[in-house]
Amino acid sequence: MVSEPYEPDNLLDRHSDPATLQVHYDQEQRRERELLDRRLGIGGGDVLSVGCGWHPGRHLFPRPAWRMTGVDLNADMLGSPELDAGVTAGAGELPFEPESFDVVLYRLVLHHVVYQRPLGPVFEEAARLLRRGGALVLIEPGSWHPVGAALALANRAGLGVAVHGTPDDVPLSPRALRRAAAAAGLEPELHSVTYGWRRLPARAQLALHALDRLGSRPRLAALGHTLLLIGRRYSTTSMPKPSWTKGSPTSTQPSRS
């Protein structure tokens, strides 16, 4: 299971300035660190970064407190100096023993995975790999933000490649993410990372950054452009095994984002 090919000559990238994009990326990283520093409640241990790529999330889990293992289907990505160890594998097929990690991290990965498979088993797998007191951390684009909703409509109309370069960039429903985490035996907590959009002019992005501090309020968390979900494992019992069917309300399918 690999990502779909990316077409760089698409509508949005033809009208995007790299410096403008970087304003958004810098704010995302600041907000991610801020939220996890405030809410994760784990000071160190073993973290698994799934779909790690060249930037596995070391800015969130710095050395020496954290030992980071990366997983990616592309073995070349496992040579990143930010990793302490690496394994070639994919979500849903991770070759680790139960309770091997304090944190399982999916950073901007599941919105590609969901194009090819339901996310329920992926959540179950993460719960199985977590130690008691550990947490699943997801950072993904949300489908309730106006931009996420527009991209979801473009995907459904078959315009994903023309508009944003790929058909497998699927904004995720915050309700479905919380339900899937709960069904896997995890206690979910949702935050908005940012309400801005990387394609906006820099001044407009900076103005919207003032709203980001509201991203942990219950009624506003689900409306973010980028979402952060912390799913904690408190139970010592085995994880539940829900029946993930195509029509399940907790199954996160592309058509439901």
Side-chain angles (χ1 to χ4, degrees):
M1 184 179 68
V2 297
S3 296
E4 296 295 310
Y6 177 74
E7 172 52 64
D9 185 20
N10 63 76
L11 175 64
L12 292 180
D13 281 337
R14 285 197 297 268
H15 299 280
S16 296
D17 173 57
T20 300
L21 301 179
Q22 194 61 47
V23 173
H24 180 80
Y25 300 147
D26 290 345
Q27 175 69 357
E28 278 195 320
Q29 289 202 5
R30 282 193 295 267
R31 283 283 296 156
E32 291 166 8
R33 288 194 300 267
E34 174 190 326
L35 288 168
L36 287 185
D37 286 348
R38 179 161 52 89
R39 298 300 306 170
L40 183 61
I42 307 174
D46 295 299
V47 56
L48 177 67
S49 178
V50 187
C52 60
W54 281 111
H55 302 287
R58 181 57 84 174
H59 66 290
L60 299 174
F61 301 100
R63 294 184 174 105
W66 292 95
R67 183 178 186 275
M68 178 174 283
T69 299
V71 170
D72 204 289
L73 289 169
N74 184 347
D76 293 340
M77 299 294 179
L78 303 177
S80 169
E82 297 183 4
L83 296 175
D84 298 301
V87 175
T88 304
E93 302 171 350
L94 301 178
F96 302 104
E97 294 297 317
E99 301 187 11
S100 294
F101 298 96
D102 300 286
V103 172
V104 174
L105 171 67
Y106 279 93
R107 186 176 185 269
L108 304 176
V109 174
L110 292 183
H111 67 289
H112 296 297
V113 173
V114 74
Y115 183 76
Q116 301 189 27
R117 62 169 55 179
L119 294 186
V122 176
F123 278 76
E124 291 178 26
E125 177 180 66
R128 176 179 62 83
L129 296 178
L130 286 171
R131 296 169 182 147
R132 185 185 181 193
L136 170 65
V137 175
L138 308 180
I139 301 169
E140 300 290 343
S143 65
W144 290 9
H145 186 274
V147 172
L151 292 182
L153 287 174
N155 291 339
R156 290 171 185 163
L159 299 175
V161 174
V163 173
H164 54 94
T166 176
D168 71 342
D169 192 345
V170 182
L172 301 177
S173 161
R175 179 182 291 123
L177 290 176
R178 283 186 289 206
R179 287 179 175 176
L186 303 174
E187 184 173 306
E189 174 184 314
L190 188 71
H191 303 268
S192 169
V193 175
T194 180
Y195 295 99
W197 184 36
R198 59 181 179 162
R199 316 283 183 177
L200 290 174
R203 288 186 178 180
Q205 290 191 53
L206 293 173
L208 286 172
H209 289 174
L211 298 177
D212 293 345
R213 70 190 68 176
L214 306 176
S216 295
R217 296 190 178 186
R219 293 185 179 181
L220 298 177
L223 302 179
H225 173 277
T226 309
L227 307 174
L228 185 148
L229 183 141
I230 301 171
R232 293 182 175 85
R233 182 189 174 187
Y234 292 124
S235 173
T236 59
T237 61
S238 60
M239 294 296 102
K241 297 182 179 180
S243 175
W244 294 98
T245 60
K246 189 172 182 180
S248 169
T250 58
S251 176
T252 312
Q253 299 287 346
S255 62
R256 298 182 182 275
S257 294

